[in-house]
């Protein structure tokens, strides 16, 4: 990699780190907390498993995994989130470590299980992330992922925000592609076998109406905050986005509940 590419890549990482440190992502993590135990169960994490949670955020998977007796390392590009995660469960023995999902600081085959829950999908270079998931997991080890689908509510939310958001950096792939089973299988190639991909949904009863959802995400969710920041002082575009986000959420609320669709992928590293 040239010096120019290294500089550009570092600037991109710095932007991502700042994006996820903005707002209050742990509040969002609380809304989707049930995904952590779901992924922990799906890859059958248990006592003495060596587990790495990649792009762990505030520990939605790392914490329930550690409660099984597993030895867990939680990594994230944004150290602010790791500090919050550690403060939540300081006595579980989790190692909280700042690390880039595209360049993990671990030897090949270090872990029995590698997991990521709506985390690694937001790194820009998908193949690098997939290669790292495979590299740090031993042959015969398990990989487990939960990612938002392109067609589900969160995938549609990103489509609504896209016309107002800053342009993606060159070479970056859309995060919701990680919610497409064929895309994930292609990333894994023949390095992961017994791949299962199941579309499931998370029931959300947090929001009374679309406006309540919109206001919550405007205040807490880094990508939404960045999108509004990109609009700047244009009140017309801000009003358009306000209306579009509220309308989308209203369309997905029935009897006070939403369903947020995700793809659950599990597989075994080829040995």
């Amino acid at each position: 990699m040239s010096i120019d590419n290294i500089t550009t890549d570092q600037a991109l990482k710095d932007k991502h780190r700042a994006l996820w440190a903005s707002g209050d992502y742990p509040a969002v993590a609380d809304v989707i907390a049930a995904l952590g135990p779901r992924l922990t169960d799906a890859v059958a994490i248990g006592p003495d498993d060596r587990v790495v949670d990649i792009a762990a955020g505030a520990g939605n998977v790392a914490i329930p995994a550690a409660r099984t007796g597993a030895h867990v390392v939680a990594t994230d590009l944004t150290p602010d989130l790791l500090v919050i995660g550690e403060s939540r469960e300081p006595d579980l023995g989790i190692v909280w470590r700042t690390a880039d999902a595209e360049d993990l600081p671990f030897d090949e085959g270090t872990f029995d299980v590698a997991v990521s829950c709506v985390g690694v999908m937001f790194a820009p270079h998908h193949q690098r992330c997939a290669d790292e998931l495979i590299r740090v997991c031993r042959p015969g080890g398990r990989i487990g992922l939960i990612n938002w689908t392109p067609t589900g509510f969160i995938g549609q939310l990103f489509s609504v925000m896209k016309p107002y958001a800053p342009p993606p950096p060159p070479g970056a792939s859309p995060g919701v592609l990680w919610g497409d089973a064929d895309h994930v299988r292609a990333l894994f190639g023949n390095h992961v076998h017994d791949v299962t991909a199941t579309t499931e949904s998370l029931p959300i009863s947090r929001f009374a109406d679309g406006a309540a959802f919109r206001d919550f995400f405007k205040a807490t969710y880094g990508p939404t905050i960045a999108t509004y920041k990109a609009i700047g002082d244009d009140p017309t575009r801000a009003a358009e986005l306000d209306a579009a986000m509220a309308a989308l959420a209203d369309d997905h609320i029935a009897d006070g509940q939403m369903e947020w669709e995700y793809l659950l992928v599990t597989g075994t590293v080829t040995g």
Side-chain angles (χ1 to χ4, degrees), residues 106-145:
F106 307 114
D107 292 336
E108 184 175 339
T110 297
F111 299 98
D112 301 302
V113 187
V115 292
S116 185
C117 180
V118 296
V120 73
M121 67 178 290
F122 292 108
H125 305 111
H126 294 190
Q127 192 62 61
R128 288 189 207 171
C129 291
D131 292 346
E132 285 295 89
L133 280 162
I134 295 162
R135 184 185 66 80
V136 302
C137 199
R138 66 169 175 80
R142 291 103 68 199
I143 291 176
L145 304 171

Short mmCIF file of all heavy atoms in Angstrom, two decimals, residues 106-145:
data_model
loop_
_atom_site.label_atom_id
_atom_site.label_comp_id
_atom_site.label_asym_id
_atom_site.label_seq_id
_atom_site.Cartn_x
_atom_site.Cartn_y
_atom_site.Cartn_z
N PHE A 106 -4.13 -9.90 15.99
CA PHE A 106 -4.08 -11.24 16.57
C PHE A 106 -3.42 -12.19 15.59
O PHE A 106 -3.53 -12.03 14.36
CB PHE A 106 -5.48 -11.75 16.91
CG PHE A 106 -6.29 -10.81 17.76
CD1 PHE A 106 -7.42 -10.20 17.25
CD2 PHE A 106 -5.90 -10.52 19.05
CE1 PHE A 106 -8.17 -9.32 18.01
CE2 PHE A 106 -6.63 -9.64 19.84
CZ PHE A 106 -7.77 -9.04 19.31
N ASP A 107 -2.78 -13.21 16.13
CA ASP A 107 -2.15 -14.23 15.30
C ASP A 107 -3.21 -15.10 14.62
O ASP A 107 -4.35 -15.20 15.09
CB ASP A 107 -1.22 -15.11 16.14
CG ASP A 107 0.00 -14.36 16.64
OD1 ASP A 107 0.38 -13.35 16.00
OD2 ASP A 107 0.57 -14.78 17.66
N GLU A 108 -2.80 -15.76 13.58
CA GLU A 108 -3.66 -16.67 12.86
C GLU A 108 -4.14 -17.79 13.79
O GLU A 108 -3.36 -18.34 14.58
CB GLU A 108 -2.89 -17.27 11.68
CG GLU A 108 -3.69 -18.17 10.79
CD GLU A 108 -2.88 -18.61 9.57
OE1 GLU A 108 -1.91 -17.91 9.23
OE2 GLU A 108 -3.24 -19.64 8.98
N GLY A 109 -5.43 -18.09 13.76
CA GLY A 109 -5.98 -19.21 14.52
C GLY A 109 -6.04 -18.99 16.03
O GLY A 109 -6.10 -19.95 16.79
N THR A 110 -6.08 -17.74 16.47
CA THR A 110 -6.07 -17.45 17.90
C THR A 110 -7.37 -17.87 18.58
O THR A 110 -7.36 -18.28 19.75
CB THR A 110 -5.86 -15.94 18.14
OG1 THR A 110 -4.56 -15.58 17.65
CG2 THR A 110 -5.95 -15.58 19.61
N PHE A 111 -8.51 -17.80 17.89
CA PHE A 111 -9.81 -17.95 18.54
C PHE A 111 -10.58 -19.17 18.04
O PHE A 111 -10.39 -19.63 16.91
CB PHE A 111 -10.65 -16.69 18.30
CG PHE A 111 -10.02 -15.45 18.86
CD1 PHE A 111 -9.30 -14.58 18.04
CD2 PHE A 111 -10.14 -15.14 20.21
CE1 PHE A 111 -8.71 -13.45 18.56
CE2 PHE A 111 -9.54 -14.01 20.74
CZ PHE A 111 -8.82 -13.15 19.91
N ASP A 112 -11.44 -19.67 18.93
CA ASP A 112 -12.37 -20.75 18.56
C ASP A 112 -13.60 -20.19 17.85
O ASP A 112 -14.23 -20.89 17.06
CB ASP A 112 -12.83 -21.51 19.82
CG ASP A 112 -11.69 -22.11 20.58
OD1 ASP A 112 -10.93 -22.91 20.01
OD2 ASP A 112 -11.53 -21.77 21.78
N VAL A 113 -13.97 -18.97 18.18
CA VAL A 113 -15.18 -18.35 17.64
C VAL A 113 -14.90 -16.88 17.32
O VAL A 113 -14.29 -16.17 18.13
CB VAL A 113 -16.35 -18.42 18.65
CG1 VAL A 113 -17.65 -17.92 18.00
CG2 VAL A 113 -16.55 -19.83 19.20
N ALA A 114 -15.34 -16.44 16.14
CA ALA A 114 -15.28 -15.03 15.76
C ALA A 114 -16.70 -14.57 15.44
O ALA A 114 -17.38 -15.21 14.63
CB ALA A 114 -14.37 -14.82 14.56
N VAL A 115 -17.13 -13.49 16.08
CA VAL A 115 -18.51 -13.02 15.91
C VAL A 115 -18.53 -11.51 15.66
O VAL A 115 -17.60 -10.79 16.03
CB VAL A 115 -19.39 -13.34 17.14
CG1 VAL A 115 -19.62 -14.83 17.28
CG2 VAL A 115 -18.78 -12.77 18.42
N SER A 116 -19.62 -11.07 15.03
CA SER A 116 -19.87 -9.63 14.91
C SER A 116 -21.36 -9.43 14.73
O SER A 116 -22.01 -10.14 13.96
CB SER A 116 -19.12 -9.04 13.72
OG SER A 116 -19.29 -7.62 13.68
N CYS A 117 -21.89 -8.47 15.47
CA CYS A 117 -23.34 -8.20 15.46
C CYS A 117 -23.57 -6.76 15.02
O CYS A 117 -23.21 -5.83 15.74
CB CYS A 117 -23.92 -8.44 16.85
SG CYS A 117 -25.68 -8.14 16.98
N VAL A 118 -24.11 -6.58 13.82
CA VAL A 118 -24.30 -5.27 13.18
C VAL A 118 -23.11 -4.36 13.47
O VAL A 118 -23.27 -3.20 13.83
CB VAL A 118 -25.65 -4.62 13.55
CG1 VAL A 118 -26.79 -5.47 13.03
CG2 VAL A 118 -25.84 -4.38 15.04
N GLY A 119 -21.93 -4.91 13.27
CA GLY A 119 -20.72 -4.16 13.53
C GLY A 119 -19.78 -4.16 12.34
O GLY A 119 -19.55 -3.13 11.71
N VAL A 120 -19.27 -5.34 12.00
CA VAL A 120 -18.30 -5.44 10.91
C VAL A 120 -18.91 -4.98 9.59
O VAL A 120 -18.19 -4.53 8.68
CB VAL A 120 -17.77 -6.89 10.81
CG1 VAL A 120 -18.81 -7.83 10.22
CG2 VAL A 120 -16.48 -6.94 10.00
N MET A 121 -20.22 -5.00 9.49
CA MET A 121 -20.88 -4.58 8.26
C MET A 121 -20.62 -3.12 7.92
O MET A 121 -20.77 -2.71 6.77
CB MET A 121 -22.39 -4.83 8.34
CG MET A 121 -23.13 -3.99 9.35
SD MET A 121 -24.93 -4.31 9.36
CE MET A 121 -25.44 -3.60 7.79
N PHE A 122 -20.23 -2.32 8.91
CA PHE A 122 -20.01 -0.90 8.66
C PHE A 122 -18.57 -0.56 8.34
O PHE A 122 -18.26 0.61 8.05
CB PHE A 122 -20.50 -0.09 9.86
CG PHE A 122 -21.99 -0.15 10.02
CD1 PHE A 122 -22.57 -0.86 11.06
CD2 PHE A 122 -22.82 0.49 9.11
CE1 PHE A 122 -23.95 -0.92 11.20
CE2 PHE A 122 -24.20 0.43 9.24
CZ PHE A 122 -24.77 -0.28 10.29
N ALA A 123 -17.67 -1.54 8.34
CA ALA A 123 -16.32 -1.30 7.85
C ALA A 123 -16.38 -1.20 6.32
O ALA A 123 -17.15 -1.91 5.68
CB ALA A 123 -15.38 -2.41 8.30
N PRO A 124 -15.57 -0.35 5.71
CA PRO A 124 -15.76 -0.07 4.29
C PRO A 124 -15.35 -1.18 3.34
O PRO A 124 -15.93 -1.31 2.25
CB PRO A 124 -14.92 1.19 4.06
CG PRO A 124 -13.91 1.19 5.16
CD PRO A 124 -14.59 0.55 6.33
N HIS A 125 -14.36 -1.98 3.71
CA HIS A 125 -13.79 -2.96 2.77
C HIS A 125 -14.18 -4.37 3.20
O HIS A 125 -13.58 -4.95 4.11
CB HIS A 125 -12.28 -2.79 2.70
CG HIS A 125 -11.85 -1.39 2.37
ND1 HIS A 125 -11.23 -0.57 3.27
CD2 HIS A 125 -12.01 -0.65 1.24
CE1 HIS A 125 -10.99 0.61 2.71
NE2 HIS A 125 -11.47 0.59 1.48
N HIS A 126 -15.18 -4.91 2.57
CA HIS A 126 -15.79 -6.15 3.03
C HIS A 126 -14.85 -7.35 2.95
O HIS A 126 -14.83 -8.17 3.87
CB HIS A 126 -17.05 -6.43 2.21
CG HIS A 126 -18.14 -5.44 2.44
ND1 HIS A 126 -19.41 -5.61 1.97
CD2 HIS A 126 -18.15 -4.24 3.09
CE1 HIS A 126 -20.17 -4.58 2.31
NE2 HIS A 126 -19.41 -3.73 2.99
N GLN A 127 -14.12 -7.47 1.87
CA GLN A 127 -13.26 -8.64 1.74
C GLN A 127 -12.17 -8.66 2.80
O GLN A 127 -11.82 -9.71 3.34
CB GLN A 127 -12.65 -8.72 0.34
CG GLN A 127 -11.98 -10.06 0.04
CD GLN A 127 -12.97 -11.21 0.07
OE1 GLN A 127 -13.92 -11.24 -0.70
NE2 GLN A 127 -12.78 -12.16 0.99
N ARG A 128 -11.62 -7.49 3.11
CA ARG A 128 -10.60 -7.43 4.17
C ARG A 128 -11.18 -7.95 5.49
O ARG A 128 -10.53 -8.70 6.22
CB ARG A 128 -10.13 -5.99 4.37
CG ARG A 128 -9.24 -5.44 3.29
CD ARG A 128 -8.67 -4.10 3.74
NE ARG A 128 -8.35 -3.22 2.65
CZ ARG A 128 -8.01 -1.95 2.79
NH1 ARG A 128 -7.95 -1.41 4.01
NH2 ARG A 128 -7.73 -1.20 1.74
N CYS A 129 -12.42 -7.53 5.80
CA CYS A 129 -13.04 -7.96 7.05
C CYS A 129 -13.29 -9.46 7.06
O CYS A 129 -13.03 -10.15 8.06
CB CYS A 129 -14.36 -7.23 7.26
SG CYS A 129 -14.17 -5.47 7.60
N ALA A 130 -13.80 -9.98 5.95
CA ALA A 130 -14.06 -11.42 5.87
C ALA A 130 -12.76 -12.21 6.02
O ALA A 130 -12.71 -13.22 6.73
CB ALA A 130 -14.74 -11.76 4.55
N ASP A 131 -11.71 -11.73 5.37
CA ASP A 131 -10.41 -12.42 5.46
C ASP A 131 -9.90 -12.42 6.90
O ASP A 131 -9.30 -13.42 7.35
CB ASP A 131 -9.39 -11.75 4.55
CG ASP A 131 -9.71 -11.93 3.06
OD1 ASP A 131 -10.55 -12.80 2.73
OD2 ASP A 131 -9.11 -11.21 2.24
N GLU A 132 -10.11 -11.33 7.62
CA GLU A 132 -9.66 -11.26 9.00
C GLU A 132 -10.49 -12.16 9.92
O GLU A 132 -9.95 -12.81 10.83
CB GLU A 132 -9.70 -9.81 9.51
CG GLU A 132 -8.58 -8.94 8.97
CD GLU A 132 -7.22 -9.41 9.46
OE1 GLU A 132 -6.62 -10.27 8.76
OE2 GLU A 132 -6.76 -8.95 10.51
N LEU A 133 -11.79 -12.20 9.71
CA LEU A 133 -12.64 -13.12 10.47
C LEU A 133 -12.11 -14.54 10.35
O LEU A 133 -12.02 -15.28 11.35
CB LEU A 133 -14.08 -13.07 9.95
CG LEU A 133 -14.98 -11.94 10.40
CD1 LEU A 133 -16.17 -11.81 9.46
CD2 LEU A 133 -15.47 -12.17 11.82
N ILE A 134 -11.79 -14.93 9.14
CA ILE A 134 -11.31 -16.29 8.87
C ILE A 134 -9.91 -16.49 9.45
O ILE A 134 -9.63 -17.52 10.08
CB ILE A 134 -11.32 -16.55 7.35
CG1 ILE A 134 -12.75 -16.51 6.82
CG2 ILE A 134 -10.64 -17.87 7.01
CD1 ILE A 134 -12.86 -16.33 5.32
N ARG A 135 -9.04 -15.53 9.26
CA ARG A 135 -7.64 -15.67 9.67
C ARG A 135 -7.48 -15.89 11.16
O ARG A 135 -6.69 -16.74 11.61
CB ARG A 135 -6.84 -14.43 9.23
CG ARG A 135 -5.35 -14.51 9.53
CD ARG A 135 -4.64 -13.21 9.20
NE ARG A 135 -5.05 -12.11 10.07
CZ ARG A 135 -4.58 -11.91 11.30
NH1 ARG A 135 -3.72 -12.76 11.85
NH2 ARG A 135 -5.00 -10.87 12.00
N VAL A 136 -8.22 -15.12 11.97
CA VAL A 136 -8.01 -15.20 13.42
C VAL A 136 -8.75 -16.36 14.06
O VAL A 136 -8.56 -16.63 15.25
CB VAL A 136 -8.42 -13.88 14.11
CG1 VAL A 136 -7.62 -12.71 13.55
CG2 VAL A 136 -9.91 -13.62 14.02
N CYS A 137 -9.57 -17.06 13.29
CA CYS A 137 -10.33 -18.20 13.82
C CYS A 137 -9.62 -19.49 13.42
O CYS A 137 -9.23 -19.67 12.26
CB CYS A 137 -11.75 -18.15 13.25
SG CYS A 137 -12.95 -19.12 14.17
N ARG A 138 -9.46 -20.40 14.34
CA ARG A 138 -8.74 -21.64 14.07
C ARG A 138 -9.51 -22.52 13.07
O ARG A 138 -10.73 -22.41 12.95
CB ARG A 138 -8.54 -22.42 15.37
CG ARG A 138 -9.83 -22.93 15.99
CD ARG A 138 -9.58 -23.92 17.11
NE ARG A 138 -10.82 -24.30 17.77
CZ ARG A 138 -11.68 -25.21 17.30
NH1 ARG A 138 -11.44 -25.83 16.15
NH2 ARG A 138 -12.79 -25.50 17.99
N PRO A 139 -8.82 -23.41 12.36
CA PRO A 139 -9.53 -24.38 11.53
C PRO A 139 -10.51 -25.20 12.37
O PRO A 139 -10.16 -25.69 13.45
CB PRO A 139 -8.39 -25.27 11.00
CG PRO A 139 -7.18 -24.38 11.02
CD PRO A 139 -7.35 -23.52 12.24
N GLY A 140 -11.73 -25.30 11.89
CA GLY A 140 -12.77 -25.96 12.67
C GLY A 140 -13.50 -25.04 13.62
O GLY A 140 -14.48 -25.43 14.25
N GLY A 141 -13.03 -23.80 13.74
CA GLY A 141 -13.71 -22.82 14.58
C GLY A 141 -14.95 -22.28 13.89
O GLY A 141 -15.21 -22.53 12.71
N ARG A 142 -15.72 -21.50 14.67
CA ARG A 142 -17.01 -21.02 14.16
C ARG A 142 -16.98 -19.52 13.95
O ARG A 142 -16.37 -18.78 14.71
CB ARG A 142 -18.13 -21.35 15.16
CG ARG A 142 -18.45 -22.84 15.27
CD ARG A 142 -17.87 -23.44 16.52
NE ARG A 142 -18.49 -22.95 17.74
CZ ARG A 142 -17.91 -23.04 18.94
NH1 ARG A 142 -16.71 -23.57 19.09
NH2 ARG A 142 -18.56 -22.59 20.02
N ILE A 143 -17.71 -19.11 12.92
CA ILE A 143 -17.95 -17.70 12.64
C ILE A 143 -19.46 -17.46 12.74
O ILE A 143 -20.25 -18.26 12.24
CB ILE A 143 -17.44 -17.30 11.25
CG1 ILE A 143 -15.90 -17.34 11.23
CG2 ILE A 143 -17.93 -15.91 10.86
CD1 ILE A 143 -15.30 -17.06 9.86
N GLY A 144 -19.84 -16.36 13.39
CA GLY A 144 -21.25 -16.00 13.49
C GLY A 144 -21.44 -14.51 13.27
O GLY A 144 -20.70 -13.70 13.84
N LEU A 145 -22.41 -14.16 12.44
CA LEU A 145 -22.67 -12.77 12.10
C LEU A 145 -24.15 -12.47 12.14
O LEU A 145 -24.97 -13.30 11.74
CB LEU A 145 -22.17 -12.46 10.68
CG LEU A 145 -20.71 -12.75 10.35
CD1 LEU A 145 -20.48 -12.59 8.85
CD2 LEU A 145 -19.79 -11.82 11.13
#
